[in-house]
Amino acid sequence: MRLSAALHVVSHGVAVLYCLLTLDQPHRGKMLVMYGCGMAGGAVGLWAARRVTTKAAGYRTSGVIMMVTLVALALGSHWDGGAAAPAALGFVTTVVFVATQTPGLRLMIALEVLTLGTYVGVAAVGEPMRPGHLFINVAGMVVLISVCSTQARKVARQRSQLRALATLDPLTGALNRRGLAEFASTLFVPRCRPGPSLLCLDLDDFKLVNDRYGHAAGDQLLQTTVAAVRRTVRPDDVVARIGGDEFVVVLVEADAATAQAVTARVDAAVGQQAGVSIGWATAPYDGTTLESLMHAADQRLYRVKQEKHRATGTHLPSRQPDTLGVLP
């Protein structure tokens, strides 16, 4: 949104300079007023970009700026002599910007049709053009739209793939440590209600699975564990793999009672294929950061393991709780 607003300020600023350089031509006063309004719209967009907090509001603001730009382009081109006038070159920059910066394909097509339609309207009501001039201009802009939108979406796909590689565990598809930290960075804000809650999972005797049945069996167990947890939690909750057989589940809106209920369901779901120990923690009672919640959940998990080993008469060595202090 800031980029869009800044480009609108710059493009209308160039148009203002064009008018100042050609003050001896007709209608320059009206054009200066119109392009000044376009610059003002871009400046308002820059101001709003620092205060808009939702995607819907950002789309609405960008849409208003786009409409102001099209009106300025249409009137400026008409006053400058029609679709063949120098001011009409603003339509070219507009279609390129829309093709490269509009995220949705359908929205991009709709905006491009609106822009080209505005240009054709200027040609229809303005001064007559040379034969074929309108066709060449529109065809050239369509080619630009095709090339720029194709390249922009290719780059967007590559960036999405790189982001997935950086934040996802390739074996299970769960978030890795970096992805977990990025996801949780927006969750811990002052709030009246309890939450979020966090579960720490640790498969029991996972090493024996690898030793007895091979690493392929261990990998399959990890994958089925993540699948079982995802079937148990809500779509907005996330699963992360932070170690060999260690997982974290973030329950976005969940108090302590909900966390304990989900713990029981996850224990039952994962327990059908392997033993599991689970600890839980809820903000703000157990901590107000991801690291503090992980510490509290890990302590409960360790006590669960102690009880299991005490029941079997085996010894459980002490260990340090896992944290996200250093990302791999």
Side-chain angles (χ1 to χ4, degrees):
M1 186 174 170
R2 286 193 296 268
L3 175 62
S4 173
L7 289 176
H8 280 84
V9 172
V10 172
S11 61
H12 286 98
V14 171
V16 167
L17 290 176
Y18 166 69
C19 292
L20 294 176
L21 291 172
T22 58
L23 279 176
D24 58 328
Q25 300 297 315
H27 307 297
R28 285 313 183 255
K30 293 187 292 185
M31 293 171 64
L32 282 171
V33 172
M34 184 57 60
Y35 290 136
C37 291
M39 290 184 66
V44 171
L46 286 173
W47 174 83
R50 298 181 178 181
R51 291 159 177 81
V52 167
T53 57
T54 65
K55 186 178 295 186
Y59 281 143
R60 287 195 295 269
T61 305
S62 298
V64 171
I65 296 174
M66 180 67 180
M67 294 302 104
V68 171
T69 296
L70 286 180
V71 170
L73 280 174
L75 291 178
S77 300
H78 177 67
W79 290 329
D80 197 35
L89 290 175
F91 284 100
V92 178
T93 59
T94 300
V95 297
V96 170
F97 175 80
V98 171
T100 55
Q101 300 298 323
T102 307
L105 181 60
R106 291 182 179 180
L107 178 60
M108 186 273 290
I109 293 175
L111 291 177
E112 296 291 19
V113 169
L114 179 61
T115 304
L116 292 176
T118 303
Y119 176 74
V120 173
V122 170
V125 300
E127 297 181 7
M129 302 177 64
R130 294 172 56 187
H133 198 136
L134 177 64
F135 170 77
I136 289 296
N137 285 355
V138 172
M141 284 190 280
V142 170
V143 172
L144 277 177
I145 292 170
S146 302
V147 173
C148 292
S149 62
T150 300
Q151 186 64 23
R153 275 146 185 78
K154 180 180 179 180
V155 172
R157 285 194 300 270
Q158 292 173 342
R159 291 180 62 184
S160 177
Q161 292 168 356
L162 290 174
R163 183 175 180 84
L165 290 174
T167 59
L168 296 181
D169 172 47
L171 176 63
T172 63
L175 294 178
N176 58 18
R177 286 174 174 263
R178 186 179 299 275
L180 175 62
E182 291 183 2
F183 176 81
S185 63
T186 59
L187 296 181
F188 294 93
V189 295
R191 61 177 68 203
C192 299
R193 296 179 299 173
S197 292
L198 183 145
L199 311 183
C200 283
L201 285 70
D202 193 337
L203 297 180
D204 299 333
D205 301 321
F206 177 71
K207 186 176 183 300
L208 295 179
V209 176
N210 285 330
D211 294 341
R212 291 179 180 177
Y213 305 106
H215 289 282
D219 291 347
Q220 184 177 4
L221 177 58
L222 295 174
Q223 292 169 340
T224 55
T225 297
V226 171
V229 173
R230 282 176 170 161
R231 289 194 299 269
T232 305
V233 299
R234 300 163 300 182
D236 291 338
D237 303 327
V238 301
V239 185
R241 181 188 178 198
I242 63 171
D245 63 327
E246 299 174 355
F247 301 91
V248 169
V249 181
V250 180
L251 308 176
V252 178
E253 295 287 347
D255 55 17
T258 303
Q260 295 179 62
V262 175
T263 297
R265 295 201 299 269
V266 171
D267 193 358
V270 178
Q272 296 178 4
Q273 55 201 6
V276 62
S277 298
I278 308 175
W280 60 271
T282 301
Y285 312 115
D286 298 306
T288 57
T289 65
L290 178 61
E291 290 78 9
S292 59
L293 283 187
M294 287 189 64
H295 177 86
D298 196 78
Q299 290 297 309
R300 288 193 174 102
L301 182 152
Y302 187 67
R303 288 195 290 270
V304 170
K305 282 188 173 292
Q306 280 183 320
E307 294 175 1
K308 289 183 178 181
H309 282 263
R310 190 179 298 116
T312 58
T314 58
H315 174 68
L316 179 65
S318 61
R319 65 186 177 93
Q320 295 295 326
D322 195 8
T323 67
L324 292 183
V326 179
L327 290 172

